[in-house]
Structures are given as C-alpha cells and as structure tokens.
Amino acid sequence: MNASKWSLLWPILLTILVPLAAAWFAYPAHLPPNFGVFPPVQVPGTPGFNLWYFLAVLAVALVIAALIIFPSWFGFAGSSPQPAPAKKPLPWWFWVGGLFMVVFWWVMWARPASLGPIVYYAFSPMWWGFIVFLDGINYRMNDGKSLIATKPGLMIFSAIISIVGWGYFEFYDYFVLANWYYPNGHMSALSHSTIVILFLIAYTTVWPAIMEWFNLLNAFPKLVARYQNGWQFTVNGNWLIVIGLIVIAVMVFFPYPVFWGIWIGPMAVIIGLLIRLNIWSPFTSMQQGNWAPLILIALASLFNGFLWELWNYGSSHPDIGYPTNPNYWIYDIPYVNVIHIFSEMPLLGYFGYLPFGALVWVFLIWIGELFNVSTDIYLDGNPN
C-alpha cells in the first residue's frame, strides 16, 4: 500500500479500533451487550427523561435552528443569487418512480393480507421509487441535469457506498447500547438470511436520497446565497482527529450522556483527515465563509429524515397484530426520548439529522479519494 492510501486509511481504522479497545476495559465481557447481533436489538436499561439534559439539548437545537432560519443574526452577509437554472419537462422516470413510490407506500402502510409476502418487501422499492421520483424533479429544476441523467456512475457508486457507510454506523450503534433497534429484525415469517439481504438492499437508499435532496435545494439560488459571506476560521486537521477519537473513546465508557458522540466523533476524524490532506469538503468552504454546502447538506438530511420517520411509523401503526416491515426501527435514546409526532423519533432527535448529513458527505468524499472515484455531487461541478 502506498503512503497516500495509508494516510487516508489509518485515521478511519482508528475509529474502528478505538471503540473496540475502549470496550475491552469498559465491559466485563470486553464488548457491549448484544454486540454483533444483527439487526441490532434493544439493550435494556436506558435512562428515562431528564429535564436538565433535555433543556441543554433544546438550547443547542434552538441556536442551530436560529442560525439556519435567521443567518443574518449570526453575521452572514449573504451574496447576490446566481440566475436560477432553466426548467425542462419532467422526464419519464419521474412518473415511473412516482408510481413505484405510491404503490409500495400503500402496500407498506395498508399491509393487505391479500398480497401475501409482498408486504414484507415494500420498504426498498418504495424508497428507490422516491429517489427516482426526486431525481426527475431535479432534472426539471436543473435544466435537464440530474444524477441519473448526467452522473449515473456516481449514483451507482453512492448506492454501494451507502451499504458500507450505514454498516459503519450500525457498528457504532452497538457502542451507544442501541440508540435505535429493529423489533421486527428477527421476525419468524422470514429467514435470517432473507432479512439480512433486505437490510443490505435498504442500506443502498441512504446516500442517494440525501444527494438528491441536496441537488434540489441547490436549485434555489436565493437559498444558496443566504449562507455565504459568513464566519471564517482555521481548524487544525490533526487536532480534529485527536478530538474525534477522544469523543469516541469517552462515548464507549459513558454511552448514555455521550450518545451524540456516535455522529460527532467519526465526523471530526474524517473532517480532520480531509483537512490534513488538503482535500475539499463542505468544511473547506465553511472555513472560507461559505456555509452553504454544509447547511444545505444538513437540511437535505433533515428533510429526508422527516420522510424516513413518517414512512417508518406508518408501517407499524396502527398495530394489526403481527409485523410486516422487517426494516421498522424504534429509538431508545436516553434523557430526551419524548414528544413523538407520528414518529418513533423524539422531537429533539430530528436535530441529529443535521450532522448526519454532513457525515454522509464527508464519508463519500473520503471513500471516493480512497478508490480514485470522483464524488462531486454538484450537477454543474463544484462551484466552491
């Protein structure tokens, strides 16, 4: 392995080895409870609601919300918007994707017994229908450019990487003692091997969906312009790697109060790695005062998150007496697991989608560099 590849690999390897090493000392069995059970199952003992922790998280969430809604309050001068892209007619795949989305959405929520085992397989066709549907909207909004139309190779690559990336986060879920778990993941109606295959197929949807949302948001120049000419600062990549690894280790020893480390720790390491090697990421633009890439990818994840949670909730509510969606998940988040609005996700938990979007992008950039694959998700090339 040449030196450049090794410089890309060793920090990521540490994000895997550090939690394993910390767990050796944190647990009598040297691993967290139910480690390696796939899909992850509930780990009993999660603390209940804590008002002070809830208020602290709420305060952070309100500041972030204010920054997104009122950037001028935080010193963003903005810029003159670029001309909006020309519009094109909706492509044929918009209608095909929409049909798949609607049909399998109905199957997943209605759960008709007359369709037999088809109800078990509705999740991924519905989501891929939505992704193709959204790509069709992007084609119209971006002068005939979309991931399917102009970057199909990146779309396929992102779907493959999505399996690797979400598997990486499932690995971390064990160390926070199952912040999310799958109560139907071991249902008797399907063999374990079938469920594993269904999960891997479902994982392919995460990265492409967020990328599609990002390109849709970038089709609105005024939205892009409002997050420009903001704070500028410099961050040392080496220190970010160290801080990220410390957060990961502390998270293993204190999985309840530091449950948020599941996103912040790995993200800090990957960002530090990219900064250290002078590889562009949305944080490069942020350091130069252009926060648009970072905020729009965060919003892309949040908007997609609303659909993730809504569609997930409807797949098991109302209860019909037996499970039909093996991919259905429930959250078991300490201290803040309250206020559920047609969702298993607690209200404050939605703010976790913001850093998750950034983590998705930097992970894609990192793995693209590792395999010499262009991961420019902008339809007209990265303007930053």
Side-chain angles (χ1 to χ4, degrees):
M1 181 181 298
N2 61 45
S4 62
K5 296 298 183 186
W6 177 244
S7 63
L8 283 164
L9 268 178
W10 68 261
I12 308 303
L13 291 176
L14 286 178
T15 67
I16 297 172
L17 295 176
V18 164
L20 290 171
W24 180 269
F25 298 99
Y27 294 99
H30 307 307
L31 286 171
N34 295 327
F35 181 86
V37 176
F38 185 84
V41 296
Q42 185 178 22
V43 177
T46 302
F49 176 74
N50 181 287
L51 178 62
W52 294 110
Y53 200 104
F54 178 87
L55 292 175
V57 175
L58 177 62
V60 173
L62 290 175
V63 171
I64 295 172
L67 171 64
I68 293 172
I69 300 170
F70 307 107
S72 61
W73 292 3
F74 296 82
F76 285 79
S79 65
S80 298
Q82 296 295 317
K87 303 296 188 292
K88 292 284 188 181
L90 289 167
W92 62 266
W93 60 87
F94 166 86
W95 306 103
V96 174
L99 179 62
F100 267 75
M101 175 184 68
V102 170
V103 168
F104 284 101
W105 180 358
W106 173 78
V107 170
M108 193 170 72
W109 276 22
R111 295 164 278 174
S114 60
L115 293 182
I118 292 177
V119 296
Y120 301 130
Y121 308 115
F123 182 89
S124 293
M126 181 197 68
W127 266 104
W128 269 111
F130 171 72
I131 291 167
V132 173
F133 169 84
L134 191 54
D135 188 272
I137 297 176
N138 275 326
Y139 180 92
R140 169 170 170 73
M141 297 292 294
N142 289 281
D143 193 22
K145 298 182 179 69
S146 73
L147 291 174
I148 289 177
T150 55
K151 296 191 174 185
L154 178 57
M155 174 68 95
I156 295 171
F157 182 75
S158 70
I160 297 171
I161 297 315
S162 192
I163 300 173
V164 179
W166 192 253
Y168 178 72
F169 302 137
E170 294 283 19
F171 167 77
Y172 270 90
D173 190 36
Y174 294 117
F175 295 100
V176 290
L177 304 182
N179 273 188
W180 66 88
Y181 65 94
Y182 305 90
N184 302 343
H186 301 271
M187 57 193 295
S188 59
L190 298 173
S191 68
H192 185 255
S193 59
T194 299
I195 289 176
V196 169
I197 292 171
L198 290 177
F199 268 69
L200 294 179
I201 294 173
Y203 290 176
T204 66
T205 65
V206 179
W207 265 244
I210 292 176
M211 290 162 55
E212 292 287 2
W213 273 106
F214 178 77
N215 278 315
L216 179 60
L217 294 176
N218 271 279
F220 298 92
K222 290 183 179 179
L223 184 62
V224 176
R226 72 198 309 262
Y227 299 117
Q228 296 176 344
N229 293 314
W231 302 336
Q232 298 184 28
F233 56 90
T234 301
V235 177
N236 183 285
N238 290 325
W239 277 111
L240 272 182
I241 293 173
V242 172
I243 291 170
L245 292 173
I246 291 174
V247 168
I248 291 169
V250 173
M251 175 195 74
V252 176
F253 283 99
F254 303 99
Y256 295 132
V258 194
F259 68 88
W260 43 265
I262 192 173
W263 310 119
I264 303 303
M267 182 169 64
V269 172
I270 299 174
I271 294 167
L273 161 64
L274 297 178
I275 291 174
R276 184 172 180 270
L277 299 179
N278 199 30
I279 298 169
W280 185 91
S281 78
F283 292 87
T284 307
S285 294
M286 186 177 72
Q287 290 184 87
Q288 299 166 352
N290 179 10
W291 289 49
L294 177 66
I295 291 179
L296 294 190
I297 197 68
L299 288 176
S301 176
L302 177 63
F303 292 164
N304 202 65
F306 287 125
L307 292 181
W308 268 323
E309 302 305 336
L310 176 66
W311 283 339
N312 176 65
Y313 183 85
S315 71
S316 288
H317 294 82
D319 185 6
I320 60 173
Y322 56 91
T324 58
N325 177 18
N327 299 106
Y328 171 70
W329 62 87
I330 293 179
Y331 294 97
D332 197 15
I333 304 175
Y335 311 126
V336 297
N337 200 12
V338 293
I339 311 177
H340 300 260
I341 304 173
F342 299 108
S343 169
E344 299 296 352
M345 172 72 84
L347 184 61
L348 288 184
Y350 280 101
F351 283 87
Y353 277 116
L354 299 173
F356 176 66
L359 183 50
V360 161
W361 198 358
V362 296
F363 188 92
L364 179 69
I365 292 170
W366 165 72
I367 209 161
E369 290 289 330
L370 187 65
F371 291 100
N372 298 317
V373 174
S374 172
T375 53
D376 179 7
I377 65 176
Y378 285 94
L379 299 178
D380 280 320
N382 191 338
N384 301 284

